[in-house]
Amino acid sequence: MSQERTLVMGILNVTPDSFADGGKHFNFDSAIARAKEMIAEGVDIIDVGGESTRPGAERVSEEEERVRVIPVITELAELGATISIDTMRASTAVAAIGAGATLVNDVSGGLADPDMAKVIAKNPMVQYVVMHWRGHSKQMQEAAVYKDVVSEVKNELDERVIDLLKSGVNAEQIIIDPGIGFAKEAAHNWELLRNIERLALLGYPILVGASRKRFLGELLGANSPDDREAASIAITTKMAELGIWGVRTHSVKPHRDAIEVVTELSK
Ligand code: PMM
């Protein structure tokens, strides 16, 4: 995986209820068809998720999550794709790594499952995305209270990272993520994106997941997630200019194109 440009992590939600693409890839064949499209468009990492984390979402059982994601991961591994598993559960992470995932994307940064850190420490070749999180979807918006959102998110991510290192996770495994839209109001999301370089001071690569999220719709009056595509590409462009490690996006080609242009302009 080249680090010379911002990487595109393409979202593959194998769920009936995710906010932007819920239901679209909720069976094996359509999930694989979408993954193949993403590969053809130059995706760097495919992020497979079996549990929606949109505000208010119900949790799914461990078994249901596994039944949704593992066959898809097994098939994608055969296609040679780089696979990330979007899960908060250590047991799902273990199964996904066994099936070929090389990155664990944990929106809770290890807070939801005390066994997650051990799993990551035991698998030193696996990268681990530590997202900023303040609680499960049902109650997270109540926790969207900050005096200084950038400092608080930075400090809370730092605490998470320190805990993980104590559990035996290697620094090289860690990628941090501000958790755009998770326990954040629109103003918090904008403030974090304006100041993303302050999070970079923690010394870890950064992943940003802003694609088609509600705060973009609030700015533009775009109620449908599909109408937030140009706005999402604008964020990618800015992140690519800043040399951010990766962006997590619904579409692939427009984001790859934007990153290509930024790379050419910065020569
Ligand atoms: N956002 C969602 C899900 N997983 N993972 C990371 N690392 N960062 C994010 O911002 C993030 C995530 C919610 O979006 P979705 O429902 O479209 O997957």
Side-chain angles (χ1 to χ4, degrees):
M1 231 184 293
S2 154
Q3 299 295 296
E4 280 157 25
R5 57 163 174 81
T6 296
L7 301 176
V8 174
M9 175 188 272
I11 302 170
L12 189 62
N13 283 323
V14 194
T15 57
D17 58 346
S18 289
F19 80 96
D21 57 354
K24 279 192 200 161
H25 318 300
F26 188 47
N27 69 59
F28 179 83
D29 289 341
S30 58
I32 299 300
R34 176 62 194 136
K36 284 182 176 166
E37 274 172 15
M38 290 200 274
I39 292 167
E41 291 179 6
V43 76
D44 296 295
I45 303 161
I46 300 180
D47 189 38
V48 182
E51 177 171 42
S52 171
T53 48
R54 75 184 153 72
E58 295 287 343
R59 294 217 63 190
V60 300
S61 73
E62 184 177 340
E63 198 196 341
E64 175 65 23
E65 185 184 27
R66 210 168 328 143
V67 165
R68 289 179 185 180
V69 297
I70 298 303
V72 172
I73 292 173
T74 305
E75 180 73 12
L76 294 186
E78 278 186 23
L79 295 175
T82 300
I83 305 152
S84 154
I85 172 68
D86 186 344
T87 189
M88 294 182 255
R89 284 198 180 96
S91 56
T92 306
V94 169
I97 293 166
T102 54
L103 197 150
V104 174
N105 174 24
D106 180 355
V107 299
S108 83
L111 287 171
D113 187 336
D115 292 334
M116 185 63 101
K118 283 176 241 159
V119 168
I120 304 304
K122 259 196 206 154
N123 291 279
M125 301 310 287
V126 164
Q127 289 181 291
Y128 183 53
V129 177
V130 180
M131 201 191 79
H132 177 261
W133 188 79
R134 284 187 168 181
H136 286 285
S137 300
K138 279 244 175 231
Q139 62 271 358
M140 71 178 169
Q141 284 316 103
E142 292 160 26
V145 182
Y146 302 86
K147 282 205 183 80
D148 174 350
V149 67
V150 181
S151 300
E152 287 171 58
V153 167
K154 181 169 175 254
N155 291 341
E156 287 167 36
L157 281 172
D158 197 23
E159 281 169 21
R160 289 282 66 239
V161 167
I162 289 167
D163 261 14
L164 289 160
L165 296 175
K166 274 192 205 145
S167 305
V169 173
N170 293 327
E172 294 70 35
Q173 291 179 270
I174 295 174
I175 294 155
I176 56 173
D177 182 325
I180 298 299
F182 286 80
K184 319 267 178 341
E185 303 293 347
H188 300 135
N189 295 325
W190 289 115
E191 196 60 15
L192 283 164
L193 290 168
R194 277 186 210 111
N195 292 282
I196 200 82
E197 284 164 298
R198 281 181 53 200
L199 298 185
L201 295 174
L202 289 173
Y204 294 93
I206 298 178
L207 175 68
V208 168
S211 178
R212 302 187 187 175
K213 284 188 176 167
R214 190 169 49 197
F215 76 110
L216 299 172
E218 283 175 25
L219 180 74
L220 304 169
N223 288 330
S224 148
D226 287 347
D227 290 338
R228 304 169 191 163
E229 179 68 349
S232 307
I233 297 161
I235 306 255
T236 287
T237 305
K238 177 77 183 173
M239 295 303 119
E241 274 176 5
L242 293 172
I244 293 300
W245 178 82
V247 288
R248 182 179 178 277
T249 63
H250 294 88
S251 69
V252 171
K253 179 137 194 333
H255 293 273
R256 276 298 312 262
D257 287 355
I259 292 165
E260 214 67 57
V261 168
V262 168
T263 307
E264 193 61 23
L265 286 173
S266 13
K267 275 184 184 164

